[in-house]
Amino acid sequence: MGTLILKYAAIMSLLTTAALKPTLNLQTLLAFIICASGVAVGAQAMRAKKYIWSAVFFTIAVFFNPVFTIQPSGAQYIGVSVACTIAFVLSLFLLRNIPIRTIASITNQNPGSDSL
């Protein structure tokens, strides 16, 4: 659920940066949201063993890193924002959450494995 919210937040942030030229403070906030979303979706792709997708989203996280900024020209920035938006939209449909397995309780009636 958390990565789903981050994906939608990144899509909205990317559309905002592509549609208008935000101020420096807003641009830093949007870059932080996109970077955090890229790391979270990249980790989700690693858990799903989709390594190309994880490389794409970690690259997005590096590109929108708010600490070490990369400033391409206006047309290139819009193109990169649109491409990243498409990647996040595709991740909504192609990357599903894999539930993390929990440790079985000793009070569980149906344990997942045999006892030692």
Side-chain angles (χ1 to χ4, degrees), residues 11 41 53 56-57 60 82-92:
I11 291 169
V41 177
W53 278 100
V56 167
F57 286 106
I60 290 172
V82 169
C84 293
T85 304
I86 291 170
F88 276 107
V89 168
L90 287 175
S91 74
L92 288 171

Side-chain angles (χ1 to χ4, degrees), residues 1-46:
M1 184 65 158
T3 54
L4 185 66
I5 294 170
L6 281 173
K7 288 177 189 179
Y8 281 116
I11 291 169
M12 295 306 295
S13 299
L14 284 163
L15 290 175
T16 301
T17 58
L20 54 103
K21 184 68 176 165
T23 62
L24 185 61
N25 292 334
L26 181 61
Q27 188 175 7
T28 303
L29 175 67
L30 295 175
F32 179 75
I33 292 170
I34 297 166
C35 180
S37 301
V39 169
V41 177
Q44 179 187 19
M46 287 290 283

